[in-house]
Amino acid sequence: MSGRGRGAPPQGRGRGAGSDPGRGGFRGGNRGGDGGGPRGGRGAPRGGPRGGPRGGGGGNLPRYQDQYELDVDPNNGVFTPQNETLQAPDPKVDERENALIRPGEEISLSGLTLDDYTLPARPSYGTQGRSVVLRTNYFNMLIKPDAQIFRYELEITPQIMTKQSQASSNPPKVNRRKTRRLIQLLIQNTPPLQGPGIATDGLKLLFSAKQLDLEGRSRVLQQRYYEPEEEGPGPDSDIRPHKIKITENGSIDVQQLVNYLSSPPGVTSPNFDKGEVLQALNIVMTRTASNNPTVYGGGASNKFYRLPEEGPGFDLGSGLVALKGFYTSVRTSTLRVLVNINVANGAFYPAMNVLGLMRLHTPNSANDQTSGLEGFISRLRVSHSYIHGKKKIKTVQGFAHPIPKFKHDFPPFGNSHTIRFQCTELQATGKISVFQYFKRKYNIELRKPDDPCLNLGNKEHPVFVPPELCEVEPGQQYNKKLDGSQTSRMLQFAVRKPAENARRIIDQGARLMGLSTTNPNLTEFGVKVAPQMITIRGRILPPVPVQYRSGKSPKTFTTSNGSWNMAGGTSFSDGRYLRNWTVVKFGRNDIGAPDIAKFREYARNCGVGSDEPAHSDGILVELRTGKYNQESDDRAIEGILQTAAEKGMKVLLVFLPSVDAFIYSRVKYWAEVKFGIHTICSAGLKIRAKASPDNNFKPPPGAVSPDYCANIAHKFNLKLGGLNQTLPSEKMGILRDGKTMLVGMDVTHPSPGSLPNSPSIAGVVASIDGRYGQWPASMQTQEGRVEMIKKLEEMFGERLDLWQKTNKGALPERVIVYRDGVSEGQYRTLLVEELPRIREACKKRYPGGKGPKISIVICGKRHHTRFYATNAQNIDRSTNTKNGTVVDRGVTMEKGWDFFLQAHTALKGTARPTHYVVLLDENGMNADGLEALTHNLCYLFGRATKAVSLCPPAYYADLLCERGRAYLYQEFNARDNVTTTTDQTFDWDRAPWLKGVHAALKDTMYYI
């Protein structure tokens, strides 16, 4: 509304309230996503406490209770579907897979372009290990031979002409939420589009099981807009209906996909586009859930959430709740099309009164308005009904702030008393307040007038409304980073045993997605989906022994469940000595000289000797803590670290008052970037020994934990250049001769809540010799949201230079790269952009320009493939598949070389294997060799006495990039920074850090 005598308080220009159509938007999930409100704008059950129409809300959310989790599996933790007999893996798939292997086949990469690249052929399937049969969260899609899908493009003409915007020369655009609603209305009200044979992405694509009669290639239809709660267009709706153009864009022969999946590697049809077929099938597959009015789309188009039967959801604290839902995706494998369904967990705003939500987020919000509350509610869709009782949905732009062009004279975060304006509509003499306006205009006496008003318009045309009059619209996923407490609560909510998650998928997910052989939403398109999980073949690789030192000789330890203990008399393979060090205590605690002496004793037992610290009791530094004290705390941290550097300290053991990301990040920044000091931070009193119910161990009060001290010793030894554990030479495979450099690479991107224009951070780590225990690194910022490493030639060259320096001038004969964080759609781009940069770095250093043989393996953790054991002999104590489980059949790529490996033992929850994809192999490895090498390397992660889930080169690169995020903590967490202004962006010229660390640390594992 532009506002002539109705609506909310005005913009301060002498007439009634004003408002423009709002915009929707939010994010979803891990490490979130993006998108726009409930799919199609439909109404869903609100489920939460709304606090009355003007109640102001407050207090705690009702207790979440999920009855489903009370269901106890009777079969010793093994998932066994009711009334289902375990089926053997499909022998036809096995037969076809065996026919597709290409041992020794090489692909030329000279002159490679994005169009002609194909993945390397699989040289073999793995045979090592004990064979097992597993269930997996995939369902078989059956496609009729004559299945055909017709594709149409949708285009909405942006001509929203309301009574208020009729005179505007720039009519508002159709936002994402409104687009979904318009397409939903078009399908509901257009007979040819009704029925199960129509599916849409809700934005620009429509698929039909039958060819539509458009009377030509395209047709323009008209549709008026109205909200789900309205019976039809009202007097205030659009004067002119929206024009929606439907244009024919060919048809899709689905059978071509089946033919492709059974063809040999390298054989494709010139007119076949696998991506187009999968796009269509994915949209068809989500039709059932998309049309369910009780389901929320979680931002992304393939995640769907439903409220529990009672209550708003699981309380995450600070005004957020967690909901369970399901992810779905149509995938391909050898000889078949599969539907992948997995449990999803998302953070949502509860549907309740906005003022109540503000109270939950910041209990004393009236006096603490700059604490991130504005960022928390910005872009939130809310509704009000104080105008003639008619519901209006708007988008929160933020709180009320004065706008110079309107000559506002109220302070920032204006409330219903401080915001005053001329109001000719009420024939008021002089200015009136928002409080007075609502009393006179609507006979509403505001109960909480001291809270800041919401801006439901925009900066050009603000509309200020008291939050107590607004309700949060349901189904809005929180699109920013969770804080530490919320993350812990989310993990508590999300972590479920494998059998429970599998039962959810079968009982709830499959039903929600309409998995059935008779679902008309699928059968109309010529497809059916069997509602049973498929079974596949897997193997469990044998445990890997590790070596330490006993005296001067190596000592080998056997491992069990991917874990081991350093027995008495055993020390690190190459222990280092701790000199020029001291202890710093930020905040008061009871850690004193006896505790530090005990730490030195336990570290010495591990092989890390030490001098007396420079301060036997440690240095106490008082901090005020809290976001309003960050500047003074930062000065205190800088001061003590500068003093330590001036005193010649090389290493600091730092005790933090609690888990505080700001203090931790500033310690790391000042120590590693500015002063060249190694630090290890310990939060709270983790150094204290704790009781163990497993063995009835009860330590005396104040005792120091030997295990925790050993953990610190692991890190100290790595930072000082030492070597913790090694593997027997027979477990090293292609690495045995010490002439292979292992490399890990990763890129991390700015998270929601970062300053606009914030950079991405690229990291490269590499081994320096044949012991594979030291991994120094190169790190640089680059343009934000760019996945390919732009300065890789320089960074890779630095790693080669250090290898050469360490190995008496010799360069590696082989290089194996484990690259983290690359999606399937970027495989080709990586070889076109990053591989040439690696080769160029080698060309400049190798005699004659002949570089090493290179292999590149992608490591993927952000996938939704899960495995479930089918008998009790193949599960661990947490009822997951055993560590060492590897799968390279059944659900792997139809054309390419990949495998799933669960090298670790999950302590709780459902284990997630890592997906490894080979993009290049010039070293002639086979499946057994690469799978065993990758598995064995997971036992070499230097700071743990257990196998890890991600191959260490990639794991180290991930840790390195996280360290870069710490250096830019304030820029990457701008939403929580009280000094950040709304128009501030990342300044590349004045940034506190852009690359590297202090020269004293550059060739060390400072990031560990």
Side-chain angles (χ1 to χ4, degrees):
M1 303 181 299
S2 63
R4 295 186 183 272
R6 58 192 173 84
Q11 310 150 358
R13 297 197 297 178
R15 54 183 183 271
S19 174
D20 288 325
R23 300 192 298 272
F26 50 79
R27 166 205 165 186
N30 171 27
R31 262 176 93 168
D34 31 3
R39 296 177 61 83
R42 56 188 175 276
R46 298 182 182 274
R50 301 188 68 85
R54 294 194 300 113
N60 296 321
L61 295 169
R63 180 179 179 273
Y64 172 84
Q65 187 172 13
D66 183 1
Q67 296 293 337
Y68 199 85
E69 70 188 60
L70 303 179
D71 179 17
V72 179
D73 186 87
N75 199 26
N76 298 320
V78 176
F79 170 58
T80 307
Q82 292 183 351
N83 306 317
E84 182 180 316
T85 303
L86 180 65
Q87 300 293 319
D90 191 336
K92 293 181 180 178
V93 173
D94 289 346
E95 180 181 346
R96 189 60 195 163
E97 285 175 335
N98 291 335
L100 293 177
I101 61 174
R102 293 290 186 271
E105 182 173 299
E106 295 185 3
I107 295 178
S108 173
L109 296 179
S110 58
L112 178 70
T113 68
L114 287 176
D115 295 327
D116 60 20
Y117 169 73
T118 57
L119 288 170
R122 189 184 301 273
S124 59
Y125 286 97
T127 59
Q128 294 181 358
R130 178 167 58 87
S131 296
V132 293
V133 173
L134 306 169
R135 282 189 174 90
T136 184
N137 57 336
Y138 285 81
F139 301 81
N140 201 11
M141 177 179 279
L142 308 173
I143 300 174
K144 290 178 63 176
D146 60 348
Q148 192 172 20
I149 299 175
F150 296 90
R151 180 177 53 228
Y152 299 88
E153 293 183 356
L154 303 175
E155 180 183 358
I156 299 177
T157 303
Q159 57 169 26
I160 308 172
M161 298 294 288
T162 65
K163 292 177 181 178
Q164 290 72 36
S165 62
Q166 193 170 14
S168 172
S169 59
N170 297 304
K173 295 181 179 180
V174 183
N175 62 51
R176 187 182 182 95
R177 184 185 73 87
K178 199 164 187 176
T179 296
R180 289 188 182 278
R181 176 62 179 163
L182 278 170
I183 294 174
Q184 181 189 47
L185 290 169
L186 180 73
I187 292 174
Q188 289 176 357
N189 299 323
T190 307
L193 302 181
Q194 296 169 354
I198 295 291
T200 176
D201 67 349
L203 296 174
K204 59 182 180 180
L205 292 175
L206 183 142
F207 295 94
S208 175
K210 298 178 181 178
Q211 189 168 15
L212 300 177
D213 183 8
L214 300 180
E215 301 175 358
R217 288 196 68 252
S218 65
R219 182 179 177 183
V220 177
L221 301 175
Q222 297 186 347
Q223 178 61 53
R224 294 182 185 272
Y225 182 88
Y226 55 92
E227 295 290 349
E229 295 81 5
E230 300 172 324
E231 295 181 0
D236 295 329
S237 64
D238 304 335
I239 294 176
R240 298 181 184 176
H242 299 266
K243 293 182 178 180
I244 304 178
K245 184 178 181 181
I246 304 179
T247 304
E248 184 179 300
N249 190 18
S251 63
I252 297 171
D253 183 357
V254 185
Q255 183 60 33
Q256 277 194 311
L257 178 62
V258 179
N259 297 338
Y260 163 79
L261 297 177
S262 60
S263 65
V267 176
T268 59
S269 169
N271 298 319
F272 170 69
D273 187 330
K274 173 185 169 183
E276 286 186 354
V277 184
L278 287 180
Q279 180 188 47
L281 290 176
N282 270 299
I283 292 172
V284 169
M285 194 64 231
T286 59
R287 187 189 191 281
T288 301
S290 297
N291 288 355
N292 188 330
T294 68
V295 172
Y296 302 146
S301 60
N302 57 358
K303 289 183 180 178
F304 302 91
Y305 297 86
R306 175 182 281 160
L307 274 175
E309 293 183 2
E310 297 183 5
F314 181 84
D315 186 6
L316 294 176
S318 299
L320 294 177
V321 296
L323 298 182
K324 283 195 178 294
F326 295 94
Y327 160 93
T328 183
S329 177
V330 178
R331 312 286 296 174
T332 57
S333 188
T334 302
L335 208 61
R336 56 187 174 185
V337 183
L338 301 171
V339 178
N340 179 209
I341 298 181
N342 193 30
V343 174
N345 301 281
F348 284 77
Y349 293 93
M352 63 185 298
N353 182 268
V354 174
L355 184 55
L357 179 68
M358 291 164 57
R359 291 284 191 269
L360 288 175
H361 182 73
T362 309
N364 59 333
S365 59
N367 300 313
D368 192 13
Q369 295 132 351
T370 58
S371 63
L373 180 59
E374 184 168 29
F376 178 70
I377 64 170
S378 292
R379 312 308 307 158
L380 189 63
R381 285 183 297 104
V382 301
S383 63
H384 61 71
S385 56
Y386 58 81
I387 305 175
H388 311 306
K390 183 176 180 181
K391 180 177 178 179
K392 297 286 186 180
I393 298 177
K394 302 296 178 183
T395 299
V396 177
Q397 302 300 320
F399 285 132
H401 296 284
I403 298 177
K405 79 172 186 176
F406 296 134
K407 299 181 179 179
H408 289 153
D409 57 1
F410 62 87
F413 302 98
N415 61 41
S416 297
H417 285 317
T418 61
I419 301 174
R420 302 179 64 84
F421 56 92
Q422 298 285 345
C423 187
T424 56
E425 126 185 53
L426 297 180
Q427 298 180 349
T429 302
K431 293 183 177 181
I432 66 171
S433 67
V434 171
F435 181 89
Q436 293 168 324
Y437 176 86
F438 274 95
K439 177 64 176 176
R440 296 184 190 181
K441 174 73 175 177
Y442 300 107
N443 196 29
I444 295 175
E445 186 161 346
L446 299 174
R447 300 176 185 176
K448 301 290 183 180
D450 293 330
D451 285 277
C453 288
L454 308 175
N455 181 1
L456 300 186
N458 54 44
K459 290 183 178 181
E460 294 297 319
H461 300 286
V463 179
F464 303 136
V465 180
E468 65 182 85
L469 300 181
C470 300
E471 305 290 322
V472 178
E473 282 296 288
Q476 297 183 75
Q477 194 162 10
Y478 182 68
N479 66 346
K480 303 179 181 73
K481 186 178 180 181
L482 299 179
D483 64 29
S485 174
Q486 290 169 333
T487 299
S488 297
R489 294 278 291 167
M490 176 62 86
L491 289 173
Q492 178 186 343
F493 173 75
V495 168
R496 293 293 181 266
K497 290 187 175 182
E500 181 184 335
N501 274 343
R503 288 198 304 276
R504 280 185 189 274
I505 292 169
I506 288 288
D507 296 344
Q508 296 180 345
R511 185 166 59 249
L512 177 69
M513 301 309 304
L515 265 61
S516 165
T517 57
T518 59
N519 180 1
N521 290 328
L522 300 178
T523 57
E524 284 289 318
F525 287 94
V527 300
K528 300 177 180 180
V529 182
Q532 299 84 26
M533 287 186 179
I534 66 170
T535 58
I536 57 171
R537 302 188 189 281
R539 290 168 288 114
I540 301 177
L541 299 178
V544 181
V546 295
Q547 288 185 336
Y548 289 93
R549 182 167 56 86
S550 179
K552 296 184 178 181
S553 303
K555 183 175 181 179
T556 301
F557 286 82
T558 58
T559 62
S560 177
N561 295 316
S563 181
W564 63 93
N565 287 314
M566 291 178 65
T570 303
S571 59
F572 296 138
S573 298
D574 180 4
R576 295 303 170 96
Y577 197 83
L578 192 55
R579 298 181 176 87
N580 302 320
W581 74 290
T582 195
V583 176
V584 177
K585 299 182 291 186
F586 288 109
R588 294 189 179 275
N589 56 50
D590 63 355
I591 296 171
D595 305 305
I596 297 171
K598 268 295 180 186
F599 160 72
R600 294 181 61 218
E601 175 188 339
Y602 291 139
R604 184 170 59 252
N605 293 341
C606 294
V608 178
S610 62
D611 290 336
E612 286 278 352
H615 306 83
S616 59
D617 267 338
I619 305 172
L620 176 64
V621 180
E622 294 283 9
L623 297 180
R624 299 173 65 186
T625 69
K627 61 182 65 181
Y628 292 100
N629 301 310
Q630 287 182 353
E631 287 192 34
S632 61
D633 287 349
D634 193 32
R635 288 194 296 270
I637 294 168
E638 177 189 8
I640 189 62
L641 289 171
Q642 182 174 4
T643 300
E646 291 170 351
K647 297 293 186 181
M649 296 297 102
K650 303 299 182 184
V651 181
L652 300 179
L653 176 56
V654 178
F655 290 97
L656 306 179
S658 62
V659 178
D660 189 308
F662 172 78
I663 296 176
Y664 173 87
S665 68
R666 300 311 290 166
V667 168
K668 295 300 181 182
Y669 170 78
W670 290 112
E672 296 170 356
V673 175
K674 295 299 183 181
F675 300 124
I677 302 174
H678 284 298
T679 59
I680 289 180
C681 295
S682 174
L685 295 176
K686 290 185 177 181
I687 198 171
R688 295 287 180 226
K690 297 179 180 179
S692 174
D694 293 339
N695 55 15
N696 295 319
F697 172 70
K698 294 182 179 180
V704 172
S705 167
D707 290 340
Y708 191 75
C709 290
N711 178 272
I712 294 176
H714 276 77
K715 297 178 183 179
F716 269 138
N717 199 48
L718 292 176
K719 288 174 184 286
L720 296 173
L723 178 66
N724 290 350
Q725 72 266 33
T726 61
L727 299 182
S729 61
E730 65 270 17
K731 295 296 182 180
M732 298 300 287
I734 195 173
L735 310 181
R736 188 180 306 177
D737 63 4
K739 298 179 180 180
T740 303
M741 185 172 79
L742 294 179
V743 180
M745 305 195 313
D746 191 17
V747 177
T748 187
H749 304 291
S751 55
S754 301
L755 285 178
N757 199 38
S758 288
S760 292
I761 299 171
V764 179
V765 305
S767 57
I768 62 170
D769 56 30
R771 300 187 302 172
Y772 303 100
Q774 277 291 305
W775 303 78
S778 300
M779 179 167 48
Q780 294 200 25
T781 54
Q782 61 184 36
E783 180 184 351
R785 301 288 169 190
V786 173
E787 181 60 43
M788 298 300 112
I789 302 177
K790 294 301 182 181
K791 298 179 181 178
L792 183 56
E793 180 184 338
E794 174 188 342
M795 300 166 75
F796 196 88
E798 291 172 351
R799 299 303 97 218
L800 287 172
D801 291 343
L802 186 57
W803 173 284
Q804 189 174 33
K805 178 181 176 181
T806 309
N807 291 273
K808 301 179 180 180
L811 288 163
E813 295 180 3
R814 297 175 292 271
V815 169
I816 301 176
V817 176
Y818 284 90
R819 175 65 157 93
D820 194 14
V822 177
S823 66
E824 186 174 348
Q826 298 170 314
Y827 292 169
R828 298 182 182 189
T829 306
L830 185 145
L831 288 178
V832 170
E833 293 190 22
E834 290 191 352
L835 179 59
R837 293 165 188 161
I838 292 174
R839 293 203 191 281
E840 189 62 27
C842 296
K843 182 179 179 181
K844 292 179 178 179
R845 289 164 174 82
Y846 281 75
K850 185 177 180 181
K853 294 181 178 180
I854 299 172
S855 298
I856 300 177
V857 183
I858 301 298
C859 315
K861 292 289 287 183
R862 296 183 183 180
H863 61 82
H864 292 268
T865 300
R866 303 292 184 268
F867 302 124
Y868 308 98
T870 55
N871 62 63
Q873 288 72 44
N874 297 324
I875 62 174
D876 59 22
R877 287 183 296 179
S878 64
T879 69
N880 277 288
T881 48
K882 290 188 174 182
N883 85 290
T885 296
V886 62
V887 172
D888 59 5
R889 287 178 174 270
V891 292
T892 48
M893 303 169 69
E894 68 275 2
K895 297 183 181 183
W897 180 8
D898 66 325
F899 60 93
F900 293 90
L901 171 64
Q902 180 206 322
H904 69 300
T905 294
L907 299 180
K908 53 185 177 180
T910 302
R912 174 169 53 183
T914 299
H915 186 208
Y916 296 93
V917 181
V918 179
L919 296 193
L920 174 68
D921 179 34
E922 297 175 343
N923 288 295
M925 294 183 284
N926 59 22
D928 276 330
L930 180 58
E931 291 168 9
L933 174 65
T934 304
H935 179 232
N936 296 352
L937 286 173
C938 290
Y939 287 71
L940 273 184
F941 186 66
R943 72 177 192 187
T945 56
K946 57 184 62 181
V948 292
S949 61
L950 179 63
C951 195
Y955 200 147
Y956 288 135
D958 180 79
L959 292 177
L960 175 68
C961 290
E962 285 301 308
R963 183 55 52 83
R965 296 180 70 89
Y967 299 157
L968 294 175
Y969 176 85
Q970 291 167 300
E971 289 73 18
F972 276 17
N973 295 272
R975 180 178 63 88
D976 299 324
N977 188 350
V978 298
T979 63
T980 301
T981 60
T982 55
D983 59 349
Q984 188 173 344
T985 62
F986 185 86
D987 188 339
W988 286 80
D989 294 327
R990 302 178 63 183
W993 174 81
L994 291 176
K995 63 179 289 187
V997 290
H998 193 280
L1001 305 183
K1002 71 180 185 67
D1003 291 338
T1004 72
M1005 293 180 71
Y1006 59 88
Y1007 59 87
I1008 198 68

